[in-house]
Amino acid sequence: MSGIVLSASVRQNLLSLQSTADLLSTTQNRLATGKKVNTALDNPTNFFTAAGLDSRAGDINNLLDGIGNGVQVLQAANTGITSLQKLVDTAKSIANQALQIPVGYDSKSTITTPINPGATADNLLGTPDPANATFLGTPANSKLTVATPITGATILSGGANTDSIGTSFAVNDTITVNGKSLTFRASGAAGPNEINITDDVSTLLAKIDALSGGTPASSIGATGAITLNTGVTEDLDIQSSNTSALASLGLGTSVKQKRAEGPTALGGPPSLTLTIAATNSSSIPTNITFGKAAGQVSTLAQLNAALAPNNLQAVIDPKGFITITTSNDAASSKIGAIGGTAAAPGELFSGLTATDPVQNFASQTSRANLIAQYNNIIDQITTTSQDASFNGINLLGGDQLKLVFNETGKSTLNIQGTTLTPAGLGLGKLSSGSDFLDNTSANTTLSSLNVASSILRSQASALGSNLSIVQIRQEFAKNLINVLQTGSSNLTLADTNEEAANSQALSTRQSIAVSALALANQSQQSVLKLLQ
């Protein structure tokens, strides 16, 4: 074959045909693969740049599964919070039922005391009430030779060495008691204004009490000292025509004893104060000053306004008694300790002890049933919180979710869960006999449930914010993958329209080259024919 010599025209046509074949092969390869850069030999820069873009796109695509799982974890937590909120709302309805059923007590804690004379709902202050005052005589002895203290049996008139008073009363002697005369007779005394000289001391004291209205009854002590009482209707004034005989009773030449003042008027002077310790944990202690000055209490309405923060209320009945009792909010509680100057000895509120509340069995049974329902809700909150997991991660159980958003691991999001068990929400089971007893205990439970709702809303907001972030990053990752893959394609993909046109052109060129080669061969054959 080395001896074969091709003409220059044939060789030129062969080279042209080979070049066309190479170009056609390249075009057909591009059309078959869709790429204009298939190997590093085609375009090293574009090939390795595209490879890097494709590698990064692949790495980010691998992260999409983790991001998708993260979205589902957040969705599971959000579903759990929605269910927990519904359970809390159900618990609120149970607590509200406790507020709507009748109060669980037949009678509530109460204190009652009479008010000052003249006091009304519009004027509680009243006036001082007179009280009994006591007059105590001096010890006195009888006429017995061996002196002994006089007694109730001692005679009012008698001789020496007799159990009679030291100086005898005589017939027609008088004793004037509060302006009413008591006359001594020899015998046959009749009515309240006469007495026999032979009567004893106890008879005389009874006559004096009858004329004076003294209460309690007069008495005589072991030393012979007589005690007289004024009562509350008038002062005690005793005079006698026989001052010596009166003195021998240990009463001096006369008796003048004013009545004592009873409880001080609430408005004073000085103005009295009343304190009542807190009725229960939600109450505010009462501190009242009676009077008509600014900030003081003088009417029933003002008194009730002052008592309300302590869950107390007051009424005045037609008999003149004021009664303070607990409100429905504190029906299970006992009124706190009474103090202040209005509770000092001898005053209106002195020595008062509040009664204990008396439970109503039917109402308390209903409340116990509500407690059982409430506790069942608490159990469901526990199990719902435990079940709100996805792929082993429970954000409502305090787990942490970590998401990676880029191939280097530097773009991350850590989502810390919260323990939303009943304890985490500040809730607990109720106990029959100590909870839902009255409105205050029901309102206390409602307050705890409102706090739990706030916690759930806060966590739902946080989860919603994190879910939005994750979904945005998920969408961003998908779009970034598309950008990277598009960039890679722009560097390596062939233009099929261009390559198809090139293929047609090269096919035509190949056909022409073949024809040209045939023509060149024919010229050589013509030379051979001349040699023949």
Side-chain angles (χ1 to χ4, degrees):
M1 296 297 293
S2 62
I4 299 175
V5 178
L6 300 177
S7 65
S9 60
V10 171
R11 186 176 298 280
Q12 184 65 38
N13 285 327
L14 282 173
L15 288 175
S16 177
L17 187 61
Q18 288 175 351
S19 176
T20 301
D22 288 340
L23 291 173
L24 184 60
S25 175
T26 299
T27 299
Q28 289 173 342
N29 187 46
R30 289 176 178 177
L31 288 172
T33 62
K35 293 183 176 182
K36 65 180 178 182
V37 178
N38 285 292
T39 66
L41 297 176
D42 296 330
N43 188 326
T45 300
N46 286 10
F47 178 81
F48 288 112
T49 301
L53 294 174
D54 287 336
S55 177
R56 185 184 178 197
D59 291 340
I60 295 175
N61 188 63
N62 291 334
L63 296 176
L64 280 177
D65 290 338
I67 296 174
N69 282 339
V71 170
Q72 296 308 115
V73 170
L74 290 168
Q75 293 282 20
N78 184 63
T79 300
I81 286 180
T82 301
S83 298
L84 290 177
Q85 185 63 68
K86 292 179 179 179
L87 289 170
V88 169
D89 290 341
T90 302
K92 286 182 183 179
S93 69
I94 293 174
N96 281 318
Q97 289 182 55
L99 291 174
Q100 294 166 5
I101 62 177
V103 65
Y105 290 82
D106 290 325
S107 62
K108 293 175 284 188
S109 181
T110 301
I111 57 173
T112 300
T113 183
I115 57 177
N116 281 321
T120 64
D122 294 328
N123 178 19
L124 296 177
L125 305 182
T127 57
D129 189 6
N132 171 67
T134 299
F135 176 86
L136 179 62
T138 58
N141 293 325
S142 67
K143 291 179 182 174
L144 292 170
T145 302
V146 179
T148 59
I150 61 174
T151 65
T154 300
I155 305 303
L156 297 175
S157 179
N161 197 26
T162 61
D163 186 13
S164 60
I165 63 176
T167 300
S168 300
F169 281 101
V171 176
N172 294 324
D173 283 345
T174 60
I175 291 179
T176 304
V177 180
N178 294 351
K180 302 167 187 175
S181 294
L182 176 63
T183 303
F184 285 85
R185 305 296 185 194
S187 62
N193 298 97
E194 294 183 346
I195 186 171
N196 295 318
I197 59 174
T198 55
D199 287 335
D200 55 21
V201 172
S202 62
T203 302
L204 175 62
L205 296 181
K207 293 283 186 178
I208 290 174
D209 288 339
L211 295 174
S212 68
T215 304
S218 298
S219 61
I220 185 170
T223 63
I226 293 175
T227 299
L228 302 175
N229 293 286
T230 65
V232 297
T233 58
E234 56 185 329
D235 299 335
L236 183 62
D237 184 352
I238 300 177
Q239 307 292 329
S240 178
S241 61
N242 189 342
T243 57
S244 297
L246 189 65
S248 67
L249 290 169
L251 301 178
T253 58
S254 66
V255 173
K256 288 186 178 294
Q257 177 64 53
K258 289 185 174 295
R259 289 169 293 169
E261 284 193 351
T264 306
L266 293 175
S271 295
L272 298 183
T273 61
L274 177 65
T275 63
I276 304 177
T279 303
N280 57 25
S281 59
S282 67
S283 300
I284 299 175
T286 300
N287 291 284
I288 294 172
T289 298
F290 291 99
K292 293 186 177 182
Q296 295 182 341
V297 170
S298 65
T299 68
L300 181 61
Q302 292 172 341
L303 176 61
N304 276 322
L307 292 174
N310 204 357
N311 289 317
L312 300 174
Q313 55 194 9
V315 296
I316 296 177
D317 65 20
K319 295 182 179 179
F321 283 81
I322 185 169
T323 298
I324 298 177
T325 186
T326 55
S327 64
N328 286 350
D329 287 350
S332 65
S333 302
K334 186 175 181 179
I335 296 175
I338 309 296
T341 57
E347 301 298 344
L348 289 178
F349 292 89
S350 173
L352 295 181
T353 301
T355 62
D356 292 317
V358 178
Q359 290 188 353
N360 178 278
F361 176 77
S363 179
Q364 291 299 335
T365 299
S366 299
R367 291 170 181 266
N369 291 334
L370 292 178
I371 287 175
Q373 297 174 36
Y374 180 90
N375 289 341
N376 184 46
I377 297 295
I378 297 300
D379 289 335
Q380 291 303 312
I381 290 176
T382 299
T383 56
T384 300
S385 176
Q386 293 171 348
D387 294 340
S389 64
F390 180 85
N391 199 29
I393 300 176
N394 186 355
L395 294 179
L396 304 190
D399 293 343
Q400 185 184 61
L401 173 64
K402 182 176 181 180
L403 297 174
V404 180
F405 296 126
N406 69 359
E407 71 280 7
T408 63
K410 294 181 179 179
S411 178
T412 61
L413 176 65
N414 290 315
I415 301 174
Q416 180 60 53
T418 303
T419 304
L420 295 183
T421 58
L425 293 173
L427 303 175
K429 289 190 174 182
L430 303 181
S431 300
S432 181
S434 60
D435 293 300
F436 280 2
L437 295 178
D438 51 30
N439 291 356
T440 291
S441 56
N443 283 324
T444 298
T445 301
L446 277 174
S447 296
S448 298
L449 291 170
N450 288 331
V451 171
S453 290
S454 297
I455 293 174
L456 290 174
R457 283 193 291 268
S458 176
Q459 291 303 313
S461 176
L463 284 177
S465 175
N466 286 323
L467 179 58
S468 295
I469 292 172
V470 175
Q471 289 175 330
I472 291 171
R473 289 306 303 258
Q474 185 183 41
E475 189 66 23
F476 170 77
K478 291 178 180 179
N479 291 333
L480 182 58
I481 290 171
N482 182 62
V483 169
L484 293 172
Q485 290 176 338
T486 300
S488 173
S489 298
N490 289 339
L491 293 173
T492 60
L493 291 183
D495 185 341
T496 55
N497 290 328
E498 179 183 354
E499 298 303 328
N502 288 339
S503 179
Q504 291 295 326
L506 289 171
S507 295
T508 301
R509 181 177 175 182
Q510 188 178 43
S511 296
I512 294 172
V514 170
S515 297
L517 182 59
L519 290 173
N521 287 330
Q522 287 179 2
S523 65
Q524 291 181 357
Q525 291 175 359
S526 296
V527 173
L528 290 174
K529 286 180 180 181
L530 290 175
L531 294 176
Q532 291 178 354

